[in-house]
Amino acid sequence: MDWLTTVDHKKIGILYLIAGGFFFLVGGLEALLIRIQLWKPLNDFVSADTYNELITMHGTTMIFLAAMPMLFALMNAVVPLQIGARDVAFPFVNALGFWTFFFGAVLLNVSWFTSTGAPAAGWTAYAPLSGPAFSTGHGMDYYVLGLQIAGIGTLIGGINFLVTIINMRAPGMTFMRMPMFTWASFITSALILFAFPALAVGLAALMFDRIFDANFFDPNNGGNAVLWEHIFWIFGHPEVYILILPAFGVISEVISTFSRKRLFGYSSMVFATILIGFLGFMVWAHHMFTTGLGPVANALFSIATMLIAVPTGIKIFNWIFTMWGGSIKFTSANLYAVGFIPTFVMGGVTGVMLAAAPADFQYHDTYFVVAHFHYVIVGGLILGIFSGLHYWWPKMFGRILNETLGKWTFWIFYIGFHLTFFIQHFLGLLGMPRRIWTYLDGLGFNEMNLISTIGAIMMGIGTIMFILNVVITNAKPQNAADDPWEDGRTLEWTIPSPPPEYNFKQTPLVRGYDAYWKEKMDGHKGMTPAEPIGSIHMPSPSILPFTMSLGLFITGFGLMYSRDWTFITEHIGFYVAGLGLLITFGSMFLRSVYDDHGFHIEPEELEDKGVKA
Amino acid sequence: MMNRWQFLKRLTPLLALMVLVLSACGRADLSALNPQGPVAQEQFGLMKLAFSIMIGVVVIVFALCLFVIVRFRRRKGDKSIPKQVEGSHKLEIIWTVIPIILLIILGVPTVQSVFNLSKDYSNDPDAVKVIVTSHQYWWEFEYPELGIKTAQELVIPKGKIITIEAKTADVLHSFWVPSLAGKIDTNPGGSTNKMFFSAPKEGVYLGKCAELCGPSHGLMDFKVKSVDDASFDRWAAALQEPVAMPSDPVVAAAFESKCLVCHAVGDKGGPLYPNLTGIGSRDSVGGILINTDDPKYSNEASTYENLHRWIENPDDIKPGNLMGKIDLTQQELDGIAKYLSELTLDYEK
Ligand code: HEM
Ligand SMILES: [Cu+2]
């Protein structure tokens, strides 16, 4: 119950982690089934329909239900601590963000258990295949409504972080003193603010097409199928940067800590991050070189895309030079971070290759692309998340993950990863299209696909080992030091692990970049407080975020089945949808009329170590 | 010394593999790395340029990485604190400028090539016009100037420029013949996309659909067959000849009532689904059952057997295709398969 009503950012971070981790396993299982199907030619381990459901759900789940929430987990757990804040700007909204994500995710996955099955038009859901004429059944309805609801959560989460970072920084924490992870979270949140509305509009239009017979994307009735591609990628390309920027942030923190060195070229890192975020919006059409936009558009988007390599390159070299001259310690967290660099570089260079439009006419929609984006999102983002989890685990849970097991996990996962995806570049170049259920014998694809499948199994084993590590660690006493890595540089390492509910007993005074490190170097034990000890105002827990999201979930069901349930009575689906909205708006109403002042933690209580989160 | 050795050890297999693959690997009729026509050749040129630049980048970054992690690893008990370097403007400018230069080297030919490959030959009297229409899960090829239509196998005169107008009858698909040219989407609605290519050498090239279009997307293969001019003319002429019905009246009746409602042969039948004229001389049935008298793989068999397999249960071969199982007696099935396997166009030399 405590967990259903919490508005504490640290607990919400943990909720995000558990839910995101769960969906990572689901998406991973789907990936394994895909790879088992492809391990030999003309296999029929799963049917063609099931296969398309698997790739669609794998992609959708990994991006929206695993990667994003795990990033939100880290952001929730770390950002307020790094800026010396007691909480996020809108704790209630934060909880609401989690619950809408969660119910959206559940709604999407319920589709597996329905008679018409999961969505099967690819995670990009190109019209008209995703429209009512070609995707009959409810699969795509689940996609549209599930993502719409989950997207609300992401959007409000992003806004919350923007406001938090702008408004809640401790005294002295200027923008140019903010830790890199906070910077990355900030830019990511800004990207969310601009990108997710595009998705919401697209999904709403597709929903109208599907449920109310509108014709936004139906060319036979004056709609435009290419319009969907534009809307999708205007959201979709920034989305990729939304995913990778926080990973960049993690890597910056981890590498700097375990090299015992200040981040090299901090200001150029900030600048590069902003530039990547900006360019991320300018290049969506590089997903559409073969759509036939014409040579002018193709040339412009080619060049714009290549430009992203410049700020990215700046980042890579800055990381390497952060290590240069440092004293590098290879903890598990740092193994992931260091392993990230070459892997991400490879994903990056294939990205530049893809940007050359005429060559992309060959690469597009082949396994070359599958290899490229997995180098970026698994080799970049997932390694980044693993790195961050190992790094901040003690802060989040008060326990250090087992290092030996952690290193074994890294090597198995890492080798498995390269085995799976390196070879796929060549599969693509040799003529294997992506999203294919099976391939003919004798085309020369067999051995490479087999190797790829073996690699995927290794990655699966690695993931299980990580879970094992979590379980083992969880059984140990909660005894991590405040600064367990001893070389902590930022504010989160100045407070207990895990932090008390109110984070900072006294808001710290920040005197420079790498605030904690600076105090340590100046011979101080901790931060200088910026305020006297006083009573701390805390928000009260509330069940309303949960009920609001539950209402949306019910609405989703009602809308989807509005046509099927007519045998009960006409329009019953719309009544159900209405009921759901009633619950949501009712909860909102309650929230507005009921004056909740929260509560205070008094100075006496602060002395008592019992108030842990 | 140590690190240089490790570096080489790690890189050698990688480079070896690259060289192996780049030196024209993969099937000549399928691989983008083994181009068989000028368009694919030009695309491959750009790929090679990009490859070389990028391998250079990767090698340098890997070398730096390795050097750093070997040289600066923390020794046991080392409590010293390294100098806290802020950054270096000189270095940062270097790694801003060098990538920009590399991108110019790549960007200029890219833009050139974009415009090169978007040339429109559709009014060129020497070019052969083809309207490609994609369907779930088959391809229709219409030659408007010759007034003929065929399916699954695009026959072209070698060396001539072929201009494609790409359309779809249902969802998005993408027309792709890797060894001859990159892909172009077939968009629903009024817009048609144009592209051109040519195949200087005679031969059969494998084409694929590259855009997810439903359960049998991965099986939506076709062939491009490049033949000499005379053969092409014979082929085009033969396609317009009337075609005799099966000699056995029972088979003929079944064929007419159950197949020709959708398909056409010669001047008979409907235009809805793939035109079957000359199907006996095509390389495959349904694009994926390869016709050969010397089958090696389970997707290969004689033309007759392939047709038999297909007609018996198309859904088994291409799930979700719109032909569906046709109700035929054994005799009708055998007879139709035999008839179609003998429905050849004798046009090559
Ligand atoms: C366990 C490791 C993984 C394996 C073995 C794996 C494997 C695959 C395979 C085989 C495909 C299908 C490619 C095709 O047929 O076109 C695929 C698609 C995809 N994967 Fe992964 N994947 C893994 C992890 C991830 C992760 C972590 C993400 C994102 C965070 C991700 C994102 C995607 C996306 C977006 C697609 C495209 C789906 C579509 O075409 O609609 N994958 N993956
Ligand atoms: Cu297709």
Side-chain angles (χ1 to χ4, degrees), chain B residues 172-173 209 211 213 217 220:
Chain B
L172 261 166
H173 304 263
C209 173
E211 187 66 69
C213 57
H217 154 61
M220 192 168 151

Side-chain angles (χ1 to χ4, degrees), chain A residues 39 155 219 544:
Chain A
W39 78 270
L155 184 59
L544 293 180

Side-chain angles (χ1 to χ4, degrees), chain A residues 175-194:
Chain A
F175 267 92
M176 290 313 278
R177 285 178 184 172
M178 265 173 12
M180 230 20 241
F181 180 71
T182 298
W183 254 114
S185 304
F186 183 62
I187 304 294
T188 281
S189 306
L191 295 188
I192 288 176
L193 179 63
F194 292 113

Side-chain angles (χ1 to χ4, degrees), chain B residues 158-173:
Chain B
K158 74 169 179 188
K160 282 256 180 70
I161 287 192
I162 316 297
T163 71
I164 300 285
E165 250 181 65
K167 295 201 251 193
T168 175
D170 38 56
V171 300
L172 261 166
H173 304 263

Side-chain angles (χ1 to χ4, degrees), chain B residues 47-48 52 73 138 169 178 197 214 216 218 258 262 282 321 334 343 345 349:
Chain B
M47 285 158 72
K48 276 193 292 193
S52 324
R73 57 172 54 241
W138 60 280
F197 66 89
S216 278
K258 291 180 177 154
C262 291
R282 290 187 194 152
N321 84 79
D334 296 347
L343 201 60
L345 296 175
K349 269 174 254 179

Side-chain angles (χ1 to χ4, degrees), chain A residues 42 48-49 52 55 120-122 126-129 134 219 225-226 229 257-266 268 290-292 295-296 298-299 302-303 306-307 309-310 313-314 316-318 320-321 323-330 338 341-343 345-346 349 352-353 355-366 368 414 422 426 428-438 440-445 486-487 489 517 521, chain B residues 10 14 17-18 21 25-27 30-33 40 43 46-47 50-51 54 57-58 60-62 64-65 67-69 72-75 78-88 91-92 95-96 99-100 103 106-108 110-111 113-115 117-118 136 170-172 174 176-185 187-189 191 193 206 208-219 221 287-288 290 297-299 317 319:
Chain A
L42 294 169
D49 279 307
N52 285 356
I55 55 158
Y126 275 13
L129 184 61
F134 296 99
V226 174
E229 292 183 41
T257 300
F258 293 110
S259 304
R260 249 183 213 157
K261 253 190 78 199
R262 185 196 151 101
L263 187 65
F264 192 90
Y266 170 77
S268 64
T290 65
T291 303
V296 177
N298 280 1
S302 269
I303 299 300
M306 288 179 187
L307 281 181
V310 176
I314 294 179
I316 302 277
F317 284 106
N318 277 339
I320 295 177
F321 275 76
M323 295 194 279
W324 191 288
S327 163
I328 309 171
K329 185 172 177 193
F330 289 98
V338 173
I341 297 178
T343 315
V345 168
M346 284 177 54
V349 296
V352 177
M353 291 166 62
D360 184 63
F361 296 164
Q362 290 288 15
Y363 309 134
H364 182 67
D365 270 332
T366 67
F368 188 87
Y414 196 67
F422 185 69
F426 300 103
L429 296 173
L430 299 185
M432 180 160 159
R434 73 191 270 212
R435 295 172 165 178
I436 57 171
W437 163 57
T438 188
L440 301 184
D441 207 347
L443 294 180
F445 299 160
E486 290 162 7
D487 292 321
R489 311 176 71 87
W517 180 262
M521 288 305 107
Chain B
R10 188 158 158 190
L14 197 89
L17 197 69
M18 291 271 183
V21 169
C25 247
R27 286 174 55 140
L30 176 61
S31 167
L33 298 179
Q43 289 161 340
L46 199 59
M47 285 158 72
F51 258 135
M54 295 307 150
V57 171
V58 166
I60 289 170
V61 175
F62 280 21
L64 264 174
C65 260
F67 171 75
V68 167
I69 59 185
F72 298 106
R73 57 172 54 241
R74 188 177 303 177
R75 322 258 172 248
D78 179 2
K79 289 257 181 254
S80 69
I81 292 183
K83 190 152 166 268
Q84 303 292 305
V85 189
E86 295 247 353
S88 152
L91 282 174
E92 283 162 60
W95 59 65
T96 310
I100 292 180
L103 292 185
L106 180 62
V108 172
T110 298
V111 173
S113 180
V114 166
F115 285 94
L117 295 180
S118 71
Q136 277 176 328
D170 38 56
V171 300
L172 261 166
S174 193
W176 184 37
V177 195
S179 56
L180 295 180
K183 55 192 77 64
I184 187 84
D185 292 357
N187 294 329
S191 68
N193 278 326
L206 307 191
K208 294 186 172 286
C209 173
E211 187 66 69
L212 179 65
C213 57
S216 278
H217 154 61
L219 302 174
D221 290 8
I288 49 173
I290 311 297
Y297 305 113
S298 61
N299 52 303
I317 291 160

Side-chain angles (χ1 to χ4, degrees), chain A residues 329-345:
Chain A
K329 185 172 177 193
F330 289 98
T331 56
S332 313
N334 202 29
L335 276 181
Y336 282 105
V338 173
F340 165 98
I341 297 178
T343 315
F344 189 79
V345 168

